[in-house]
Amino acid sequence: MNDVLLVLIVGSVNLLSFYLGAKLGGKENTESIKFPNLNPITKLEEHKEKKEEQKEEQKERERLDVIRQNIDNYNGTAEGQRDIPR
C-alpha cells in the first residue's frame, strides 16, 4: 500500500510540473523560436533574387569603372572616351 501511494504522489507531481512548465514556459518559447524556411520553392526564389541583385551590382560596377576610365583619359577632347553602358 505504501508503494502504491508513493507511485501516485510521484506521478501526480510529475504531471503537475509538466502542466505548469507547459503553461508558463510554453508561451515565451513559441514566440522566440523561429524555424528556418525549408520550402524549396521559396529557397529557389530567394536564390534567383540574389543572383539578379548580383548581376545588377556587376553592371553598376562596370558602369562606374567606365566613368572612372573616362575621367582618367579626359584631355579636353572626346579621344579615348568610352560610351557609358546603361
Side-chain angles (χ1 to χ4, degrees), residues 21-33:
K23 181 108 174 156
L24 299 177
K27 292 179 183 175
E28 295 174 10
N29 290 339
T30 56
E31 294 173 0
S32 64
I33 295 175

Side-chain angles (χ1 to χ4, degrees), residues 9-70:
I9 291 173
V10 170
S12 61
V13 168
N14 283 338
L15 289 175
L16 178 67
S17 61
F18 177 77
Y19 175 74
L20 290 176
K23 181 108 174 156
L24 299 177
K27 292 179 183 175
E28 295 174 10
N29 290 339
T30 56
E31 294 173 0
S32 64
I33 295 175
K34 305 229 184 222
F35 293 103
N37 190 357
L38 301 177
N39 188 349
I41 295 174
T42 55
K43 288 285 190 186
L44 181 63
E45 290 173 352
E46 290 172 2
H47 180 72
K48 284 182 180 180
E49 288 176 5
K50 187 175 180 181
K51 214 163 195 177
E52 201 172 290
E53 288 175 4
Q54 288 175 349
K55 281 184 182 180
E56 290 177 12
E57 289 174 2
Q58 179 65 27
K59 285 181 182 180
E60 184 65 22
R61 267 189 251 120
E62 290 175 3
R63 182 176 173 275
L64 291 175
D65 286 342
V66 169
I67 292 173
R68 281 189 213 107
Q69 288 174 357
N70 284 347

